[in-house]
């Protein structure tokens, strides 16, 4: 049996669409919607659709992606003993293949090295190789991840290296796996969750893998973010990166963290000037 966790923050319309994609998939027995204190009409919207299959959990505090998903995962494990497989889904995805979970389950059973898997991700209907998977940051990798230009340089040199991290918008795994790695690390609010999961899986000799013969669509809005919003997300991103360095790249963190903090300031200036000159056009 398969249980699904969907974390909501002001995305009720997207989730209603996703629920329609899931409603005829018989392998899915429980869907847990965790509302992360949206403070809009989300809770009222979901109360109209909850039933024996769809369960709503209302968080009184938004503590981020990892914490919210952990609440849903633990609820499934503690309350439904027959749930053997768990899936984390983003609200903004589309699923058209009704056999997707059967294919994922079969892949997981046949590939013993697989810990967490996912279908191939399309972004707004397009295949973008750079977003499908990436190399887990080690040593000085995160210094290249700080700025747009350095990240492009890194991608050139790492094309032939193993890509062992997959996007967190769709994650499928056995409940024993998530218990063995002690769930998602709640030390980050947003970003770097996938890199941390890859590190945790590495310790138990498991991997994150893409099942390339099936896919889903990740629908990203093309709406331009305001400067304040960009700077806010930039702060969260760098805080998560520094947390990752301290906990999962300790050997190199005394060198990387001071440099990351400098690059963080450069990135803020870069964002400011890009937004300023864009507004002048």
């Amino acid at each position: 049996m398969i249980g699904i966790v969907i974390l909501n923050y002001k995305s009720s319309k997207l989730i209603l669409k996703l629920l329609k994609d899931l409603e005829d998939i018989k392998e899915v027995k429980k869907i847990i919607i965790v509302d992360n204190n949206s403070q809009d009409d989300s809770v009222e919207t979901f109360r109209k659709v909850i039933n024996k299959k769809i369960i709503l959990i209302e968080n009184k505090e938004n503590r981020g992606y990892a914490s919210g998903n952990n609440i849903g995962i633990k609820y499934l494990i503690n309350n439904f003993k027959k749930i053997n497989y768990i899936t984390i889904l983003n609200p903004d995805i589309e699923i058209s293949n009704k056999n997707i979970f059967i294919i994922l389950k079969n892949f997981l059973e046949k590939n013993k090295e697989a810990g967490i898997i996912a279908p191939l991700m399309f972004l707004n209907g397009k295949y973008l190789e750079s977003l499908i998977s990436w190399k887990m940051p080690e040593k000085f990798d995160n210094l290249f991840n700080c700025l747009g230009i350095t990240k492009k340089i890194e991608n050139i040199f790492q094309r032939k290296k193993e890509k062992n991290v997959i996007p967190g918008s769709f994650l499928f795994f056995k409940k024993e796996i998530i218990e063995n790695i002690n769930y998602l690390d709640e030390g980050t609010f947003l970003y770097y969750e996938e890199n941390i999961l890859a590190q945790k899986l590495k310790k138990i000799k498991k991997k994150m893998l893409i099942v390339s013969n099936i896919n889903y669509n990740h629908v990203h809005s093309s709406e331009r973010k305001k400067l304040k919003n960009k700077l806010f997300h930039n702060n969260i991103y760098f805080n998560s990166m520094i947390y990752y360095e301290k906990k999962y790249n300790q050997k190199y963190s005394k060198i990387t963290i001071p440099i990351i903090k400098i690059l963080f300031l450069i990135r803020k200036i870069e964002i400011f000037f890009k937004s300023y000159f864009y507004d002048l056009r």
Side-chain angles (χ1 to χ4, degrees):
M1 294 174 63
I2 296 169
I4 290 176
V5 177
I6 307 172
L7 185 63
N8 175 68
Y9 184 72
K10 299 182 179 181
S11 300
S12 57
K13 290 181 180 179
L14 290 171
I15 290 178
L16 290 180
K17 291 181 181 178
L18 179 56
L19 291 176
K20 288 185 178 180
D21 288 347
L22 297 169
E23 66 182 356
D24 294 328
I25 302 179
K26 63 181 181 180
E27 292 78 26
V28 175
K29 301 301 181 183
K30 297 293 176 182
I31 299 173
I32 311 298
I33 301 172
V34 181
D35 182 74
N36 242 355
N37 195 26
S38 293
Q39 296 184 344
D40 62 0
D41 63 350
S42 290
V43 169
E44 288 75 17
T45 299
F46 294 136
R47 282 175 179 166
K48 295 174 183 177
V49 298
I50 57 174
N51 51 40
K52 290 183 179 179
K53 182 176 180 179
I54 302 170
I55 298 166
L56 174 64
I57 298 176
E58 300 174 39
N59 279 351
K60 300 305 179 184
E61 180 185 3
N62 184 355
R63 294 179 55 215
Y65 174 94
S67 175
N69 278 302
N70 276 345
I71 288 170
I73 292 167
K74 289 176 182 178
Y75 186 90
L76 278 174
I77 291 173
N78 293 333
N79 292 279
F80 305 103
K81 302 302 180 184
K82 292 184 179 180
I83 295 291
N84 301 313
Y85 301 90
I86 297 173
T87 307
I88 295 174
L89 297 180
N90 268 22
D92 56 348
I93 69 166
E94 298 172 339
I95 298 172
S96 57
N97 189 334
K98 300 301 181 182
N99 294 318
I100 194 165
F101 293 105
I102 294 175
I103 296 168
L104 289 171
K105 177 180 173 292
N106 291 339
F107 182 93
L108 205 55
E109 293 299 332
K110 291 177 182 177
N111 293 270
K112 299 305 177 184
E113 65 176 357
I116 297 177
I117 63 174
L120 193 67
M121 184 182 80
F122 281 38
L123 186 66
N124 295 329
K126 296 180 180 179
Y127 172 84
L128 296 173
E129 186 176 355
S130 61
L131 297 177
I132 301 307
S133 59
W134 57 91
K135 178 184 174 295
M136 178 174 60
E138 296 176 300
K139 298 180 180 179
F140 303 107
D141 289 338
N142 269 330
L143 299 183
F144 290 95
N145 289 329
C146 293
L147 302 175
I149 187 168
T150 54
K151 197 167 185 177
K152 288 180 181 178
I153 293 170
E154 183 195 36
N155 288 337
I156 294 171
F157 289 102
Q158 291 193 349
R159 281 176 182 171
K160 293 183 179 180
K161 292 188 177 181
E162 181 185 9
K163 295 183 178 182
N164 45 20
V165 187
I166 63 177
S169 51
F170 191 132
L171 300 173
F172 184 88
F173 46 85
K174 289 183 178 180
K175 70 175 182 180
E176 291 84 4
I177 288 291
I178 203 72
E179 289 175 315
N180 286 347
I181 63 173
N182 195 25
Y183 302 92
L184 280 73
D185 188 331
E186 298 183 14
T188 62
F189 183 83
L190 187 63
Y191 305 118
Y192 268 75
E193 301 90 359
E194 302 100 328
N195 294 323
I196 291 171
L197 282 172
Q199 286 278 9
K200 283 173 164 262
L201 288 171
K202 185 179 178 181
K203 289 182 179 180
I204 62 169
K205 297 181 180 179
K206 295 287 185 179
K207 293 182 178 181
M208 300 181 93
L209 297 173
I210 294 290
V211 183
S212 58
N213 63 330
I214 48 172
N215 62 74
Y216 68 99
N217 189 35
H218 193 178
V219 184
H220 257 312
S221 172
S222 58
E223 182 182 351
R224 184 171 169 268
K225 292 180 181 178
K226 294 181 179 179
L227 176 60
K228 184 179 179 180
N229 198 1
K230 285 184 178 180
L231 292 173
F232 173 74
H233 280 270
N234 188 59
N235 288 345
I236 295 174
Y237 178 79
F238 274 90
N239 285 336
S240 296
M241 183 185 289
I242 289 170
Y243 176 82
Y244 178 90
E245 289 294 302
K246 285 180 179 177
K247 189 168 181 180
Y248 297 97
N249 198 26
Q250 290 179 354
K251 186 177 178 181
Y252 301 91
S253 61
K254 288 183 179 180
I255 298 172
T256 59
I257 289 175
I259 299 173
I260 286 171
K261 289 180 178 179
I262 295 170
L263 293 172
F264 166 58
L265 294 175
I266 295 172
R267 177 61 180 156
K268 286 177 75 173
I269 295 168
E270 182 183 52
I271 290 171
F272 177 80
F273 277 104
K274 276 186 176 180
S275 296
Y276 178 77
F277 285 113
Y278 185 92
D279 290 338
L280 289 178
R281 290 192 294 176

